[in-house]
Amino acid sequence: MASTPPRSALRLTALLLTASVALYMALVAFGNITDFGTNQQFVRHVLAMDTTFKDDDLMWRAVTSKGLQDAAYVAIIVWETLAALVLIYGSWLWARHDTARARRVSTYGLLMVMLLFGAGFIAIGGEWFAMWQSGDWNGLDAATRVFVFSGIVLLVNHLPGTAES
């Protein structure tokens, strides 16, 4: 019969995986702040739907106001930054062996990431704004990777062995 890893190994795993997502989100937010224009163009093209099939039944959804597009982009950056900060705090709590609070805080941070990439990029960007139709401005694969990775980390954080002994 296989033995389960020691609780300390599972807590360390939860810490390191949570910290990995925190690092990723911090780097994404930092990149979007310091190189604002690159992903600003991505958001503008997705919302404008200017590289989709131009189906009249869908194009009414397009947001062509640069002000609204930029407001959406700034909101994304703020959300990314907050998620990174929550996950950094969750990682710190895991490192302090404050398991109950670490699990709760990390869950909130991971949920924030999953909502951004799942609801925001996959559902709204991918389906509502038909990002899947664009050969140039399609971020669905990247969004799916982050969503799945964050979901796996969320599951690890809730494994029974991560609890204090």
Side-chain angles (χ1 to χ4, degrees), residues 23-153:
L23 175 63
Y24 175 77
M25 291 307 297
L27 291 173
V28 167
F30 179 77
N32 284 338
I33 292 166
T34 60
D35 181 19
F36 190 85
T38 298
N39 281 330
Q40 177 189 37
Q41 292 307 309
F42 183 90
V43 170
R44 283 183 172 178
H45 285 289
V46 169
L47 295 180
M49 299 174 67
D50 57 2
T51 59
T52 63
F53 300 162
K54 305 277 192 296
D55 183 339
D56 289 338
D57 293 330
L58 297 179
M59 291 308 293
W60 63 270
R61 301 175 182 177
V63 175
T64 56
S65 163
K66 294 207 183 309
L68 288 176
Q69 293 168 348
D70 291 348
Y73 182 46
V74 169
I76 289 168
I77 295 170
V78 168
W79 191 267
E80 291 166 344
T81 302
L82 291 173
L85 292 171
V86 170
L87 289 167
I88 289 167
Y89 181 54
S91 299
W92 182 75
L93 291 170
W94 281 114
R96 293 195 43 169
H97 297 271
D98 189 349
T99 305
R101 287 177 54 202
R103 183 178 282 156
R104 184 174 56 254
V105 170
S106 296
T107 296
Y108 291 138
L110 292 164
L111 177 60
M112 290 176 73
V113 174
M114 294 181 77
L115 286 172
L116 177 63
F117 285 88
F121 298 146
I122 296 171
I124 295 171
E127 288 303 314
W128 185 256
F129 291 106
M131 182 170 56
W132 66 270
Q133 294 180 3
S134 177
D136 297 322
W137 303 101
N138 186 340
L140 289 174
D141 287 342
T144 301
R145 282 192 303 270
V146 176
F147 183 83
V148 170
F149 178 46
S150 299
I152 291 169
V153 175

